[in-house]
Amino acid sequence: MTAFSLEPAQLTWCAELRALAAERLRPLAEKGEPDRVNRALVAELGRQGLLGRLFTSGALGLCLMRESLAQACTEAETALALQGLGAHPVHACGTPAQRERWLPGVTDGTTIAAFALSEPGAGSDAAALQLTAHPDGPARWRLTGDKCWISNAPEADFYTVFARTTPGAGARGITAFLLPADRPGLTGHGLDMLSPHPVGALALDGVPVTADDVLGEVDRGFRVAMGTLNLFRPSVGAFAVGMAQAALDATLAHTARRDAFGGTLRDLQAVAHQVAEMALRTEAARLMVYAAATAYDAGAPDVPGRSAMAKLLATETAQYVVDTAVQLHGARALRRGHLLEHLYREVRAPRIYEGASEVQRGIIAKELYARQEAR
């Protein structure tokens, strides 16, 4: 089904990406170690030119990449997205020296990036983070505290780290730092998570940073974080749409050939209606994702609300579609190695990371009331 108003060239590109993911990227993903950064896969994404597109394709192009890759290889999609999430603050807010030092390695797949915002006590409430940048002379600080639930940690080559530089200032007292992984005092360990991609925790014990490591402005790091999330939230929705489409495709094939009650499953009205509902919700989510991405690319003023709506609808939809697909497949879908078993584990996390569903509802309501008051 052709969604939104994509050009023929865009549709062709999406088909090419799905084929690339199935034929070249999935074999590399299958050779990777669970819970570890798959550097061979990231390097292949670089060789195919996809990592460079993270910074040139705009929000809609990013969504098309993530949706297309997710339909055939969620590991490749996630590896691509994490490179973009970790490096976008450098691309958008870094100095020429910072960009020259780090972005070439990100785009060719030899340098692994990570976005370090969440903490053990400050996940959804990002403005409450406690990692502290203690002054250590003019334009120098030492970072002390913990980060948790950080994708690509502790194996990343550099981290975009958000730390409190002004106590008691809430969101206005946070600074973004570009932190190379070899800085003294930085340690970390992996976490055993439900989904198979690498997630870890970081401990910072007096890690030295200077003004040369600041991304953007001192005490304005929350803008860096939110600017990154406003771009990536619709594309999280695109990832979810890709998973939903994969589950829907598998369900169409299964219900068309599975014999049951003297016919096939597709002949049962209850099953056919469930499949129709899966398709309806997937297409609605896709349209909202594309609309939010187009608004971002056009510089529309309502991007935060649109991004929140897109992520919320798409991730909740994908959860429903994958769960329904498992139900229609029966026990076979729960066997280790089945596509739906894989998607069932993958689909849960996007409803939490980069702002949980409850946070997205809060953003939407805030934007609605602000718009109403401005009238």
Side-chain angles (χ1 to χ4, degrees):
M1 184 178 294
T2 301
F4 206 60
S5 57
L6 297 181
E7 300 292 335
Q10 291 173 307
L11 295 171
T12 299
W13 182 50
C14 289
E16 292 172 351
L17 286 176
R18 291 193 295 270
L20 172 68
E23 296 166 10
R24 296 181 65 92
L25 302 179
R26 188 188 298 159
L28 289 172
E30 291 172 349
K31 294 177 182 177
E33 296 182 50
D35 306 321
R36 299 293 303 273
V37 172
N38 188 332
R39 288 185 177 264
L41 177 60
V42 177
E44 184 62 23
L45 289 168
R47 280 190 292 271
Q48 295 296 328
L50 298 182
L51 296 177
R53 284 179 175 265
L54 287 168
F55 309 115
T56 61
S57 295
L60 182 58
L62 176 60
C63 286
L64 295 180
M65 281 197 292
R66 295 190 68 175
E67 179 187 344
S68 300
L69 293 177
Q71 287 186 46
C73 181
T74 59
E75 295 92 341
E77 183 285 332
T78 300
L80 175 119
L82 295 181
Q83 286 290 87
L85 186 66
H88 180 265
V90 182
H91 169 74
C93 304
T95 65
Q98 289 170 332
R99 291 196 291 268
E100 183 179 353
R101 168 68 181 85
W102 294 103
L103 293 184
V106 171
T107 57
D108 68 19
T110 59
T111 299
I112 303 299
F115 185 81
L117 178 62
S118 296
E119 298 182 0
S124 296
D125 186 7
L129 63 84
Q130 295 298 312
L131 178 72
T132 303
H134 299 282
D136 189 35
R140 302 179 68 88
W141 301 265
R142 288 188 176 272
L143 306 181
T144 300
D146 299 290
K147 292 291 182 181
C148 200
W149 328 120
I150 307 305
S151 294
N152 282 347
E155 298 179 66
D157 298 306
F158 75 90
Y159 300 89
T160 297
V161 174
F162 298 88
R164 180 160 302 286
T165 40
T166 300
R172 298 186 179 183
I174 293 169
T175 299
F177 293 95
L178 194 166
L179 186 63
D182 59 0
R183 286 288 168 86
L186 175 63
T187 58
H189 63 274
L191 299 172
D192 188 10
M193 305 292 288
L194 177 66
S195 61
H197 79 265
V199 178
L202 300 172
L204 296 89
D205 184 11
V207 178
V209 290
T210 71
D212 291 337
D213 301 311
V214 173
L215 290 169
E217 302 176 52
V218 174
D219 283 346
R220 296 294 183 267
F222 199 70
R223 294 180 182 176
V224 177
M226 293 303 104
T228 301
L229 293 176
N230 283 337
L231 169 61
F232 275 84
R233 276 173 177 157
S235 73
V236 174
F239 172 38
V241 168
M243 289 190 286
Q245 187 64 55
L248 174 59
D249 291 344
T251 302
L252 286 168
H254 172 70
T255 55
R257 65 173 180 261
R258 178 71 160 86
D259 293 330
F261 306 105
T264 61
L265 283 176
R266 66 181 287 181
D267 298 323
L268 301 175
Q269 186 181 68
V271 171
H273 284 188
Q274 283 184 292
V275 172
E277 185 70 17
M278 293 163 69
L280 171 69
R281 296 196 192 190
T282 300
E283 186 67 6
R286 177 180 286 116
L287 290 170
M288 182 161 282
V289 166
Y290 290 0
T294 301
Y296 183 97
D297 289 337
D302 57 349
V303 165
R306 283 181 175 273
S307 295
M309 286 183 178
K311 180 183 186 293
L312 174 62
L313 180 64
T315 56
E316 295 288 337
T317 293
Q319 182 78 56
Y320 165 82
V321 171
V322 172
D323 185 71
T324 304
V326 169
Q327 195 70 17
L328 291 175
H329 276 74
R332 74 190 66 213
L334 300 178
R335 292 188 65 182
R336 183 72 69 179
H338 193 281
L339 169 65
L340 290 174
E341 179 268 337
H342 175 77
L343 292 177
Y344 202 68
R345 287 183 291 117
E346 285 274 25
V347 79
R348 189 60 182 86
R351 293 172 61 205
I352 297 174
Y353 65 60
E354 295 186 40
S357 293
E358 293 75 14
V359 171
Q360 306 311 319
R361 292 186 174 94
I363 293 171
I364 294 165
K366 180 180 178 181
E367 293 291 316
L368 289 172
Y369 284 115
R371 191 184 311 164
Q372 190 269 340
E373 292 170 0
R375 291 174 180 171

